[in-house]
Amino acid sequence: MDDEMRTEFDTAIATAREALEKFNEEPLVSSKRGGPRLSPWFRVWRDASEVAQRWQRQLAREVDEPSIDEELDRILGEAE
């Protein structure tokens, strides 16, 4: 994984953890129309979690799928 991908993944994880912590402290807040509503931290958590999940799927694919160079080396090694 390149540094930029790792940085984005780590940032998304950190943001999601912080947002979940803030949400757990105060899950409901009062609304302008009266009554409770979900804390805005829920939306922050949801969005950051989605970013982290996308990067996690990408990372899993990279681990599972050999690179073209690795596959070529394997094929050429078997042919010898």
Side-chain angles (χ1 to χ4, degrees):
M1 169 181 359
D2 67 15
D3 290 339
E4 187 177 328
M5 284 175 47
R6 185 67 189 181
T7 299
E8 189 168 341
F9 177 73
D10 290 342
T11 301
I13 290 291
T15 301
R17 285 181 178 150
E18 179 184 5
L20 185 58
E21 184 179 302
K22 299 277 187 185
F23 176 76
N24 285 335
E25 288 174 7
E26 187 178 18
L28 299 176
V29 296
S30 58
S31 87
K32 294 178 183 176
R33 298 183 184 146
R37 67 180 179 89
L38 283 177
S39 165
W41 285 107
F42 177 78
R43 186 176 298 153
V44 174
W45 171 80
R46 183 198 63 209
D47 293 347
S49 294
E50 288 174 358
V51 170
Q53 288 173 15
R54 280 195 303 270
W55 281 118
Q56 180 64 31
R57 285 191 297 271
Q58 177 67 29
L59 294 171
R61 258 187 300 225
E62 288 179 0
V63 169
D64 293 342
E65 297 176 8
S67 71
I68 291 172
D69 291 335
E70 292 170 341
E71 189 64 18
L72 186 58
D73 289 344
R74 184 186 65 77
I75 292 170
L76 292 176
E78 290 175 0
E80 293 176 357

